[in-house]
Amino acid sequence: MKIVVTGAAGFLGSKVADLLLSDKSPLLVKELVLADTIKPAIRSDPRVTVLAIDLTSPDAATILIDNNCDVFFHLAAIVSGHAEVDFDLGFRVNFDATRALLEAARRIKPTLKFVFSSTLGVYGGKLPNVVNDFTAATPENTYGATKAMSELMINDYSRKGFVDGRILRLPTVVVRAGAPNKAVTSFASGIIREPLNGLEALCPVDKNLKLWLTSPQVVVWNIIYAATIPAASFGSWRGVNLPGFVTTVDQMIQALKEVAGEKVAALVRFVEDETVNRIVSTLPTNIDNSRALSLGFSVDVNFVEVVKNYIKYDLPKKEI
Amino acid sequence: MKIVVTGAAGFLGSKVADLLLSDKSPLLVKELVLADTIKPAIRSDPRVTVLAIDLTSPDAATILIDNNCDVFFHLAAIVSGHAEVDFDLGFRVNFDATRALLEAARRIKPTLKFVFSSTLGVYGGKLPNVVNDFTAATPENTYGATKAMSELMINDYSRKGFVDGRILRLPTVVVRAGAPNKAVTSFASGIIREPLNGLEALCPVDKNLKLWLTSPQVVVWNIIYAATIPAASFGSWRGVNLPGFVTTVDQMIQALKEVAGEKVAALVRFVEDETVNRIVSTLPTNIDNSRALSLGFSVDVNFVEVVKNYIKYDLPKKEI
């Protein structure tokens, strides 16, 4: 099958590509288009085409979606911190570009499996003790608002038979490799990644703050797995909270200490940031995973394993 | 103050105008612009301007919103049955036109109180026994989807200080005067209105179907009252389910019999319509009114009073 990935130069997009091209891929890939605003790294695999494309340009959607396209992983987005600073860009990329892709699918390939990465950021305000897939989306940030709007749109396009959408609300992904990004949750990777690379990390939130996490390995598997689920299994709502688990910042640092020692863990320094605190503290930290698990999605074991997996898969080898 | 009403040629819009121009108005009106696709009826009141305008035209928003505008009642919409048939028109009017109005407010008058009529149609799927303002919007119709998307957008524009939004989810309004409209709930007015006008009425749903209703008098008061509530009272979510009450189709016909006699009530004939049934049966029929009531919104007494009020205020006099 032919598969397209947007945001493919990013951390998750590139891992989705890696898994799709591996012999562990749940999908049989004949052709893989990797698209991002900057051209994704060229791969030796003959199935791969890389493409630099601005999703807000008028012809982007019809360049990406053709009649042979079977699965579309739409991972590109203006993340939380960035959309909070640039409202208009957030709307254009997170909402308008998604709409253009849906319209292209409707015209060109209505059976297209359209896998959309959404976010915990759709939640906000006073949340119930346990959030589930049918808790209202009342976002308190533009990232969450534009994602929640896109969710509703994808669901209605799917209901009408214009596309075959699957909407995944991702937990905070930790440990992300590479440089910090503009997500307000970027610190959650930083406080593990930077110390393991011998660098100091600033933590902008209290050590007792709870976070709802997934590892990159599990979430990348889940993103691809979403395309294999029969549409009917979702019922009338195509959205699902991907499984995650709760941990406190302090527990994360304890796990780091357990895996890498006290000196490494001591590289985390607490310097409060009000904006980050305000947005992060509106995110839910207790989500009922049962619907996702019954759909066959996977979940992590514990945070110590997450740290070990970062070291195993993502820590630059020269730094060990 | 200067007030604009869209959808002002419609049943509710015209009643909102009547109340605003009366001495019972909760708002002091200096200037009132009544806009609709067809020009609303001219009124003798010198404060009133009537305007035929297509909200999907590029300059509509800046024609309607100027620096003097204080309150904007955005009631115009492509209703449920119509949007289900014309998906694109539903998106253009219910979502894109709303977005253009918000953008105009942001540029020209960010303090504008923007009162938006939303709908029970944002709900769908398996609902909890009691729905409240924080039950997820998982619409199963394009009308509900475009309204729910607009809600999220209005809430985020309000959070950013680009407009002062108030989002009202209206119960089914019964008894609407005049001709049937393209809402799937249109029959609920028809089965009372047509018999009282000596005409047969077709009822497309089962007599045991439950409906969540409001009278025109109460909902029109609530729409205007919404502009008087301090923004802070809404907390971080500007949306509220306006108060309603539950009744079955059978109870409605019994009330009609009680008020107008057996011969009138016998004019209702049951002829099932599958599309109407499918959409109407996804609407919630038990909504927790407590947040709306604590914000000061009003609620009806019972359905017999609703029938009596239709006769008092809306039944064409020659027909009595």
Side-chain angles (χ1 to χ4, degrees), chain A residues 84 87-88 95-96 99 106 125 134-142 148-149 152 156-157 159-160 162 236-237, chain B residues 84 87-88 95-96 99 106 125 134-142 148-149 152 156-157 159-160 236-237:
Chain A
E84 211 48 31
F87 179 88
D88 296 302
F95 180 77
D96 293 321
R99 185 175 182 178
R106 176 184 178 188
F134 301 101
T135 302
T138 52
E140 295 191 59
N141 62 90
T142 298
M149 288 162 58
L152 286 158
D156 210 51
Y157 271 73
R159 186 184 64 82
K160 295 289 278 188
F162 298 160
S236 60
W237 179 246
Chain B
E84 212 46 32
F87 178 88
D88 295 303
F95 181 76
D96 293 321
R99 185 176 182 177
R106 176 185 178 187
F134 301 102
T135 302
T138 53
E140 295 191 59
N141 62 90
T142 299
M149 289 162 57
L152 286 158
D156 210 49
Y157 271 72
R159 187 184 61 83
K160 296 288 278 190
S236 60
W237 179 246

Side-chain angles (χ1 to χ4, degrees), chain A residues 201-212:
Chain A
L202 297 186
C203 182
V205 299
D206 189 85
K207 72 182 167 71
N208 295 316
L209 184 94
K210 289 178 181 175
L211 290 165
W212 186 254

Side-chain angles (χ1 to χ4, degrees), chain B residues 2-6 31-35 64 69 71-74:
Chain B
K2 179 174 175 182
I3 298 177
V4 180
V5 181
T6 69
E31 213 182 327
L32 179 62
V33 178
L34 301 179
L64 291 173
C69 193
V71 182
F72 196 103
F73 293 102
H74 183 33

Side-chain angles (χ1 to χ4, degrees), chain B residues 17-298:
Chain B
D18 291 344
L19 182 53
L20 283 170
L21 295 168
S22 78
D23 53 12
K24 287 182 185 131
S25 171
L27 299 174
L28 190 68
V29 183
K30 284 212 176 142
E31 213 182 327
L32 179 62
V33 178
L34 301 179
D36 209 320
T37 43
I38 54 162
K39 195 178 274 197
I42 293 170
R43 292 164 190 260
S44 56
D45 196 306
R47 295 172 293 175
V48 176
T49 314
V50 294
L51 195 63
I53 193 164
D54 175 1
L55 286 179
T56 67
S57 70
D59 53 355
T62 47
I63 290 171
L64 291 173
I65 295 175
D66 64 29
N67 187 36
N68 296 318
C69 193
D70 300 297
V71 182
F72 196 103
F73 293 102
H74 183 33
L75 310 180
I78 299 299
V79 294
S80 49
H82 194 181
E84 212 46 32
V85 175
D86 194 339
F87 178 88
D88 295 303
L89 186 66
F91 263 74
R92 275 207 305 280
V93 173
N94 297 349
F95 181 76
D96 293 321
T98 302
R99 185 176 182 177
L101 291 170
L102 296 176
E103 274 299 301
R106 176 185 178 187
R107 283 197 314 278
I108 299 162
K109 189 69 183 275
T111 57
L112 181 69
K113 288 185 166 54
F114 188 86
V115 180
F116 180 70
S117 63
S118 189
T119 169
L120 291 191
V122 302
Y123 297 112
K126 196 176 163 340
L127 291 170
N129 288 337
V130 182
V131 164
N132 66 33
D133 292 358
F134 301 102
T135 302
T138 53
E140 295 191 59
N141 62 90
T142 299
Y143 178 58
T146 51
K147 286 288 187 179
M149 289 162 57
S150 297
E151 289 186 354
L152 286 158
M153 180 167 58
I154 292 165
N155 200 64
D156 210 49
Y157 271 72
S158 299
R159 187 184 61 83
K160 296 288 278 190
F162 297 161
V163 76
D164 182 357
R166 287 99 201 280
I167 301 154
L168 311 177
R169 290 182 184 158
L170 272 57
T172 298
V173 179
V174 173
V175 182
R176 286 175 177 271
N181 70 7
K182 291 181 180 173
V184 289
T185 50
S186 182
F187 74 88
S189 288
I191 60 173
I192 305 302
R193 181 186 59 226
E194 266 61 293
L196 284 172
N197 286 285
L199 303 169
E200 188 182 73
L202 298 185
C203 182
V205 299
D206 190 85
K207 71 181 167 74
N208 295 316
L209 183 93
K210 289 178 181 175
L211 291 164
W212 186 252
L213 303 181
T214 180
S215 70
Q217 290 74 33
V218 165
V219 86
V220 162
W221 170 268
N222 282 336
I223 288 168
I224 298 174
Y225 172 75
T228 70
I229 301 173
S233 302
F234 286 90
S236 60
W237 179 246
R238 299 298 185 103
V240 64
N241 282 292
L242 286 185
F245 65 100
V246 68
T247 181
T248 65
V249 167
D250 195 48
Q251 286 167 340
M252 291 168 69
I253 296 171
Q254 292 310 317
L256 178 62
K257 197 184 286 181
E258 184 180 332
V259 175
E262 197 138 343
K263 271 175 79 176
V264 169
L267 288 166
V268 179
R269 198 155 63 82
F270 286 83
V271 181
E272 196 179 308
D273 178 311
E274 241 184 273
T275 308
V276 171
N277 250 312
R278 185 184 61 74
I279 300 183
V280 174
S281 64
T282 68
L283 301 177
T285 56
N286 189 1
I287 300 183
D288 178 353
N289 285 336
S290 57
R291 182 157 167 267
L293 294 176
S294 77
L295 285 165
F297 289 104
S298 300

